[in-house]
C-alpha cells in the first residue's frame, strides 16, 4: 500500500509496449535501411576499383590500340559489381589514357622506355533510399607502367 492508502500496481497499461514499439520501429527501420544502402555503396566502390585494377593490369601488357572497353566489360561481367549489366559500358564509362615519356614507343621496346596506361571507370549504382546522401555515381582509376612486349 502507498502512503495515501491506495494500492499501486507495478504493471504497465496493456497498450503501452505497443505504443512504444510503434514509435521506435520507424527509426530503427531507417537506420537499418541506411546501413544496407551504405554497405552496397562501399561494396560497389571496392568491386569497381578491383575491376579498374584488373583491366589496367591487362592493358599494361597490350599495345596502345587494345580494346580496353571490351576487356573492362569482360572483367565486370565476371565480378559481383552491383548494378552492372553485361556489356553496359562504353567509351563514356571507361576512359583510357596512354602516356609516354621522352620518345618511348607504345608498348615500350625495353625497360629503358617508360609508358603508362591509366584506366578511369565511372559506374552508376541503384539508390533505394532517396534520403541517403549521394546519387549513386561511383568512379575510380588505376595507373600502371606498361610492360615491354617481346
Amino acid at each position: 500500500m502507498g502512503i495515501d492508502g491506495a494500492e499501486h500496481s507495478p504493471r504497465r497499461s496493456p497498450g503501452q509496449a505497443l505504443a512504444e514499439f510503434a514509435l521506435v520501429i520507424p527509426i530503427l527501420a531507417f537506420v537499418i535501411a541506411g546501413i544496407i544502402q551504405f554497405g552496397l555503396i562501399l561494396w560497389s566502390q571496392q568491386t569497381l576499383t578491383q575491376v579498374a585494377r584488373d583491366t589496367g593490369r591487362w592493358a599494361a601488357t597490350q599495345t596502345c590500340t587494345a580494346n580496353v572497353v571490351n576487356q573492362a566489360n569482360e572483367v565486370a561481367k565476371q565480378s559481383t559489381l552491383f548494378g552492372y549489366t553485361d556489356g553496359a559500358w562504353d567509351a563514356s564509362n571507361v576512359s583510357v589514357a596512354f602516356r609516354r615519356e621522352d620518345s618511348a614507343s607504345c608498348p615500350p621496346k625495353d625497360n629503358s622506355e617508360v609508358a603508362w596506361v591509366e584506366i578511369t571507370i565511372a559506374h552508376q549504382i541503384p539508390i533505394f533510399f532517396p534520403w541517403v546522401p549521394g546519387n549513386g555515381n561511383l568512379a575510380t582509376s588505376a595507373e600502371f607502367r606498361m610492360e615491354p612486349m617481346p
Side-chain angles (χ1 to χ4, degrees), residues 24-49:
V24 170
I25 195 67
I27 296 168
L28 185 62
F30 277 127
V31 168
I32 290 173
I35 290 170
I36 291 170
Q37 185 67 64
F38 281 119
L40 288 172
I41 292 169
L42 275 170
W43 172 38
S44 299
Q45 182 65 50
Q46 290 297 324
T47 305
L48 185 65
T49 299

Side-chain angles (χ1 to χ4, degrees), residues 126-140:
I127 297 293
F128 300 115
F129 309 106
W131 46 267
V132 173
N135 55 8
N137 291 328
L138 302 177
T140 191

Side-chain angles (χ1 to χ4, degrees), residues 46-113:
Q46 290 297 324
T47 305
L48 185 65
T49 299
Q50 190 60 46
V51 168
R53 288 176 182 162
D54 291 347
T55 303
R57 185 69 227 143
W58 176 84
T61 62
Q62 305 300 310
T63 64
C64 293
T65 59
N67 193 342
V68 178
V69 176
N70 283 348
Q71 181 65 20
N73 274 308
E74 284 299 315
V75 172
K77 182 171 57 171
Q78 296 172 7
S79 72
T80 58
L81 184 58
F82 182 61
Y84 175 78
T85 55
D86 188 17
W89 289 344
D90 56 20
S92 67
N93 299 87
V94 180
S95 67
V96 183
F98 292 98
R99 288 185 299 118
R100 292 172 267 189
E101 295 179 5
D102 299 328
S103 60
S105 58
C106 192
K109 293 182 181 117
D110 57 33
N111 283 331
S112 65
E113 296 181 340

Side-chain angles (χ1 to χ4, degrees), residues 12-29:
R12 296 178 178 184
S13 61
Q16 185 176 354
L18 185 60
E20 289 173 358
F21 181 73
L23 290 172
V24 170
I25 195 67
I27 296 168
L28 185 62

Side-chain angles (χ1 to χ4, degrees), residues 132-149:
V132 173
N135 55 8
N137 291 328
L138 302 177
T140 191
S141 63
E143 183 177 62
F144 290 90
R145 183 175 175 170
M146 294 192 70
E147 300 291 329
M149 304 245 343

